[in-house]
Amino acid sequence: MSALGGKAAGGDSINPVGTVVGLVIILVSIGITAVLGSSLVIPLIGIIVGGALIAFGVHFVPVGGAPAAMGQAPGIATGVAMLAAGAGLAGLFGGAWAFETTGDFLISIIGGAVGGGLMMAITCLMVNATYVFAMGIPAASGKIAKDPITGDTFPEYKSQGTEGHGLPFISFVGGVIGGLIAGLGGTIIYIELLDAYSTGLATLMQAKPEAIAPLAISLAGIFAIGFFLVNAVLAAYNITGTIEGPHDPKFKRVPRAIIGCAVASAFCGLISLLLVTNIGM
Amino acid sequence: MTAKMEASEGKMPHNKLLTYGLVIAVVGTYLTYLNVLTGVAVFSFFGGIAAVAAIWWGSDTIKHLCSYGLGTGVPSAGMIAFGSGAIAMIVGTKFGIASPIVTVILAAILGAVIGYTANNIINMNIPVMIMSLMELAIVGALTMLGFASMATGSFEFNQLIIGSMSLSVENAGAAAGGAQTFLVTAIPQYGNSLIGGAALAVIFFLGALALQHPFNACLGPNESQDRTLMLALSCGFLSMIVVAVISLVFLGLLAGVINLVISLIAWFYCYKTYIDLSKRDAYAWLDSKPIIEVGGDQ
Amino acid sequence: MEEIVLGIGITALAGALATVAGAAEDTESDIGSQGDPNSQVQLAPQMGYIHRIFNKAVSGEPPAYGLWCAIGAGVAWAFLQLNYNPALAIILGSIVAVFVQGIYCTSGYLGRTASLAKFKQPVYIDILKSLTSVTMAHAFVAIFCTTAVCYLMSAALHHPFALPLLGLIWGIALGAAGSASGNPFYGKERQYQNQKFGAGVPISASGNIVRYAEAGQRSSLDNGWFTTKFAGPASGICFGLIVFLELWRTVLFEKALAGWGAVIAGIVLILVFTFIDRWIEVWGRKTYGPYTEPEETSS
């Protein structure tokens, strides 16, 4: 039982001043990048879109935290940031591999999305298998009375003294969508960075692109994980604890997470793209 | 995953910790430059000490931040610290001799922007948020820089990305006499360097766990600052052992073994002291004794 | 053709290794009481229930296993650079990782338990002596298998990522899969064996974990014995399926339909799992039925 929930959250509203300052930070980041090198603007925009997608995706993932481990609340019994990271990085693995073999942007990002979705589909399935086959507990949501997809009703399936348990179908679908979107975002960031680094570093280091490839891949991979963690944790701060999926009232908070992660990604992206400019060295 | 967040009032003020941590971390990283000045790699261990100092300071920052109740547990703070720190650190290393200073500045700006985002756009409204995320980003960046310079003996980008040189033999065509001549050039290998081989990812997570573990492991009503900080030192030196093993690749046997011996001795001392402090703070220290019933409502 | 046959063989081997890794990971975390169920172990003394359960507070499982597997893969990578034999390098990497894991476990138990002095929870030092080695043994299996999977991906299937990066990614995925499928079984079914079967734990019962065993006092080893019956294999299947299908769809279909084959195979697999999940959910609802009578909350 977590005694942490929600203390720090300032409601569901959007802070207008903060949002405007955030948009200014995004525009300034794009502006500085354009001055440093016009070819870097597209990667930066890709990074911003990727960061916003990660924030969006994390909100879909049904995470119950500690109460879910006792069958006290629905969702997956682990932390929100790390579960999303697990799915997103599995997607990154698939996307990076697809980019290596096909070199096609569209196939790679969709391949990455499918990798994340597949990971979440298997994980959510095993959660339900554990609840139903090992613990004899049917799935029930605590936040809504009726599943919007299947029409199942929940109150009578909720055992007394709990807020629901298991993964209702809407949460399963939310988990898969979350994995898809988080995998998509992570892969976009990775490919954009890889693109910027493999050409940029080759010129900077005066080396052949083939020789620089392992370096560019590792750099883009480490940066992508860094971006992923920053965005996932910011989104988790927005959720404050647990969320059941797209039907949860907390899902209404998603716009400010998208703006926030876009701002953070824009600025992190600006810094990470400094690597291939002539500043320093 | 935690039941209750309670932080003790520290005996050592946070600003003092911040100053010591920052100064030791920057100076320690600079001391690895002795490698360049003297031409031997045996001074690399100063990088590890710099990283441990940063972790020591950061674990106190995490305590301040997490006592507000973020809703996501302590580990996420370590993740965001190193996520942003990694970005600042890799870019910071491009600035040659000024790298450690530039890394601190970049990380501070990055942390401030992320802190502002969390506080004012995501509406966390936690008074210490911006300052804490700034500190944590600097801690993350300095820890990674320290460990990276310990593993490779240098904090400069070129040294972190070039693993070894290989000889490339190209046919320069037949010379006038009919004999084949070859053009031999040295080509840097990027794939087996610290960054190119992604060994930096190990340092990334070594630091992230070492940063969040001390407070996460010691939280509770009887948390005491000296014990938590001793655990931070212990975790730092434990991470240093792993970095020392990796440094065998880049620094060779002598410097690698020096790294390993120093980190093992320092870790052992800190770990032993931590156990003694736990013994001091524990309600009782029992070996193979039954449950003491204090009378729960059963 | 030969390449694909080899690829399928590697994929099957990787899937099998991942299954072992998942099972070992979950058993390790349940014996050590890591992750979300540990909140109850932490809470129990505050409610007046002193216990002898391992309180291994080392973050959640995903970051922890991310680190262990990254160390395993990173040190293995280092020894490979020094021209060690791959099998030896992976074993040496896993040994270093397990050393770090064991130290983190002990410091987690000592730290949390010492901070609970106010609630009269003593430090039972024999728990550390008898159980740390058991968790380290299970962690070794998990780390060794995951590092081996990563090595296969990098060396045999030519994934572009370097070995340490793969170790980090799959370590996090291993922790996520293991904690997702294993935690409820340990957290509800074992810690709260005194509560009704087939229902969630009422919030009022929080902290009243089972502390006595069939004979004597419950040790965390008993928890491992219990969770290996279902949660361990379930986590193993979960992680094994993730690794196997992720590789399988790429190895077999990446060249089909101009690269779209792997994507379509993935989508089909997601749909299949969605149908299985729906079937399980409906089966559960039909078989167990609604909770018609109000239940008594026992605490």
Side-chain angles (χ1 to χ4, degrees):
Chain A
M1 201 179 84
S2 170
L4 302 172
K7 250 186 290 175
D12 293 351
S13 60
I14 288 181
N15 179 342
V17 180
T19 308
V20 171
V21 174
L23 294 176
V24 171
I25 294 176
I26 296 183
L27 291 177
V28 169
S29 302
I30 295 177
I32 295 176
T33 313
V35 172
L36 290 172
S38 54
S39 63
L40 298 177
V41 174
I42 302 286
L44 184 68
I45 290 174
I47 290 169
I48 296 173
V49 171
L53 283 173
I54 291 171
F56 189 46
V58 170
H59 284 72
F60 279 95
V61 178
V63 173
M70 265 71 61
Q72 276 173 356
I76 300 172
T78 191
V80 59
M82 294 326 286
L83 185 67
L89 297 181
L92 181 63
F93 170 87
W97 203 2
F99 193 68
E100 176 84 357
T101 50
T102 64
D104 186 288
F105 179 73
L106 199 62
I107 291 178
S108 307
I109 60 168
I110 295 179
V114 169
L118 185 59
M119 192 268 184
M120 283 307 298
I122 296 171
T123 308
C124 292
L125 169 72
M126 290 311 294
V127 171
N128 258 343
T130 308
Y131 267 103
V132 170
F133 293 134
M135 293 150 69
I137 302 178
S141 159
K143 300 273 171 72
I144 48 169
K146 213 170 156 190
D147 193 314
I149 298 180
T150 59
D152 287 347
T153 52
F154 293 133
E156 68 272 26
Y157 285 91
K158 198 165 70 174
S159 50
Q160 209 179 33
T162 68
E163 294 166 10
H165 26 60
L167 270 185
F169 194 65
I170 176 78
S171 294
F172 177 92
V173 173
V176 173
I177 294 175
L180 285 169
I181 298 177
L184 182 70
T187 314
I188 291 179
I189 292 180
Y190 167 76
I191 292 177
E192 293 297 351
L193 282 172
L194 180 60
D195 209 30
Y197 290 160
S198 44
T199 49
L201 283 176
T203 5
L204 209 63
M205 315 287 304
Q206 288 151 6
K208 290 192 187 116
E210 309 89 75
I212 217 92
L215 177 63
I217 288 172
S218 291
L219 270 174
I222 293 173
F223 273 125
I225 293 177
F227 275 100
F228 205 98
L229 290 176
V230 169
N231 286 316
V233 173
L234 281 177
Y237 282 169
N238 190 39
I239 294 172
T240 55
T242 61
I243 187 165
E244 273 188 26
H247 57 285
D248 194 296
K250 282 186 186 174
F251 192 74
K252 291 197 197 84
R253 295 181 191 172
V254 74
R256 68 182 192 204
I258 293 178
I259 299 168
C261 287
V263 174
S265 303
F267 198 74
C268 291
L270 167 66
I271 302 254
S272 66
L273 290 172
L274 287 181
L275 195 65
V276 288
T277 59
N278 289 321
I279 293 178
M281 299 181 82
Chain B
M1 59 168 273
T2 49
K4 207 162 189 186
M5 294 280 182
E6 284 176 66
S8 66
E9 209 37 53
K11 289 192 186 74
M12 194 190 276
H14 182 66
N15 286 341
K16 202 169 156 193
L17 267 155
L18 188 160
T19 319
Y20 282 155
L22 187 62
V23 169
I24 298 175
V26 172
V27 171
T29 312
Y30 267 117
L31 282 177
T32 60
Y33 201 72
L34 288 171
N35 284 341
V36 182
L37 297 180
T38 58
V40 284
V42 293
F43 298 103
S44 306
F45 68 88
F46 281 116
I49 290 173
V52 174
I55 290 173
W56 177 73
W57 151 39
S59 67
D60 203 60
T61 310
I62 286 213
K63 185 165 98 181
H64 278 259
L65 176 63
C66 292
S67 55
Y68 280 90
L70 301 173
T72 48
V74 183
S76 65
M79 297 301 144
I80 198 167
F82 274 77
S84 48
I87 297 166
M89 172 261 170
I90 296 177
V91 176
T93 55
K94 264 186 69 182
F95 292 81
I97 183 77
S99 290
I101 305 281
V102 177
T103 303
V104 171
I105 297 169
L106 278 179
I109 302 172
L110 200 55
V113 170
I114 294 175
Y116 182 82
T117 306
N119 225 8
N120 293 37
I121 301 179
I122 299 185
N123 269 356
M124 299 283 286
N125 296 330
I126 292 177
V128 298
M129 190 80 184
I130 297 181
M131 188 60 195
S132 295
L133 282 189
M134 248 171 91
E135 285 182 35
L136 287 178
I138 299 174
V139 167
L142 280 179
T143 307
M144 288 184 69
L145 190 66
F147 278 145
S149 55
M150 177 184 168
T152 60
S154 165
F155 50 75
E156 292 178 42
F157 190 64
N158 284 332
Q159 300 296 313
L160 297 177
I161 59 167
I162 296 173
S164 60
M165 293 286 183
S166 72
L167 292 181
S168 147
V169 183
E170 279 178 62
N171 193 339
Q180 291 271 327
T181 54
F182 296 97
L183 199 65
V184 182
T185 43
I187 291 184
Q189 290 288 301
Y190 299 104
N192 52 10
S193 62
L194 185 79
I195 294 181
L200 195 65
V202 184
I203 293 177
F204 187 135
F205 254 60
L206 269 176
L209 245 76
L211 178 61
Q212 59 81 17
H213 184 65
F215 179 60
N216 190 39
C218 289
L219 63 85
N222 294 79
E223 194 260 354
S224 54
Q225 193 195 30
D226 55 346
R227 181 159 53 95
T228 308
L229 291 180
M230 189 51 72
L231 180 55
L233 290 179
S234 165
C235 287
F237 285 119
L238 181 63
S239 310
M240 205 170 145
I241 296 174
V242 179
V243 179
V245 174
I246 293 176
S247 76
L248 287 168
V249 179
F250 301 106
L251 299 178
L253 205 57
L254 177 66
V257 168
I258 290 176
N259 278 348
L260 198 58
V261 169
I262 289 178
S263 42
L264 272 171
I265 293 173
W267 165 76
F268 186 79
Y269 173 77
C270 292
Y271 185 61
K272 201 175 163 298
T273 316
Y274 168 72
I275 292 180
D276 291 341
L277 289 176
S278 301
K279 210 168 187 168
R280 180 200 69 189
D281 287 353
Y283 174 70
W285 190 267
L286 305 174
D287 194 353
S288 304
K289 291 285 186 296
I291 294 173
I292 301 171
E293 283 299 351
V294 296
D297 48 339
Q298 42 195 324
Chain C
M1 194 60 215
E2 204 171 301
E3 200 183 321
I4 289 184
V5 172
L6 177 75
I8 295 293
I10 300 286
T11 303
L13 181 58
L17 282 170
T19 309
V20 177
E25 189 271 351
D26 184 67
T27 310
E28 189 270 335
S29 83
D30 289 347
I31 292 176
S33 183
Q34 191 175 7
D36 291 291
N38 192 43
S39 62
Q40 305 304 301
V41 174
Q42 174 80 6
L43 185 67
Q46 304 184 27
M47 301 289 171
Y49 305 106
I50 304 300
H51 58 75
R52 282 170 49 88
I53 307 286
F54 207 149
N55 185 345
K56 179 155 76 75
V58 191
S59 77
E61 288 167 56
Y65 270 85
L67 175 61
W68 314 151
C69 295
I71 294 176
V75 173
W77 174 86
F79 282 109
L80 284 171
Q81 299 297 315
L82 295 171
N83 290 324
Y84 276 56
N85 164 317
L88 185 59
I90 295 172
I91 289 175
L92 287 173
S94 309
I95 288 174
V96 174
V98 157
F99 170 71
V100 175
Q101 183 260 356
I103 301 299
Y104 266 93
C105 292
T106 54
S107 62
Y109 176 75
L110 288 176
R112 281 277 173 106
T113 315
S115 290
L116 284 173
K118 189 180 164 191
F119 304 111
K120 299 184 178 153
Q121 168 73 41
V123 171
Y124 291 106
I125 200 69
D126 58 306
I127 291 180
L128 285 184
K129 287 183 198 162
S130 58
L131 290 175
T132 308
S133 50
V134 180
T135 66
M136 284 169 76
H138 282 89
F140 181 82
V141 175
I143 298 166
F144 175 78
C145 290
T146 312
T147 311
V149 167
C150 296
Y151 179 75
L152 287 176
M153 288 171 182
S154 142
L157 298 177
H158 308 295
H159 192 278
F161 283 171
L163 188 58
L165 204 53
L166 287 174
L168 178 59
I169 289 177
W170 286 110
I172 292 178
L174 167 66
S179 61
S181 19
N183 274 357
F185 192 68
Y186 168 54
K188 194 266 144 182
E189 208 59 24
R190 185 57 176 172
Q191 284 186 335
Y192 288 99
Q193 238 170 351
N194 50 0
Q195 303 292 322
K196 274 190 177 154
F197 178 78
V201 178
I203 291 168
S204 55
S206 292
N208 184 10
I209 58 172
V210 177
R211 303 166 299 144
Y212 292 94
E214 290 78 357
Q217 305 184 340
R218 182 173 281 187
S219 133
S220 287
L221 205 56
D222 301 334
N223 291 343
W225 164 82
F226 183 84
T227 55
T228 38
K229 287 195 290 191
F230 191 98
S235 305
I237 291 172
C238 183
F239 189 57
L241 275 178
I242 293 171
V243 169
F244 176 76
L245 292 176
E246 188 66 36
L247 298 181
W248 179 79
R249 75 180 176 100
T250 309
V251 167
L252 213 54
F253 298 109
E254 68 180 347
K255 301 232 164 55
L257 301 172
W260 288 98
V263 173
I264 293 168
I267 293 171
V268 170
L269 284 170
I270 290 177
L271 290 177
V272 169
F273 285 118
T274 309
F275 280 115
I276 298 176
D277 173 78
R278 179 66 191 148
W279 176 79
I280 290 177
E281 197 191 337
V282 171
W283 188 89
R285 286 171 74 90
K286 260 197 214 145
T287 313
Y288 304 133
Y291 298 98
T292 40
E293 309 174 308
E295 297 167 10
E296 279 181 86
T297 49
S298 50
S299 68

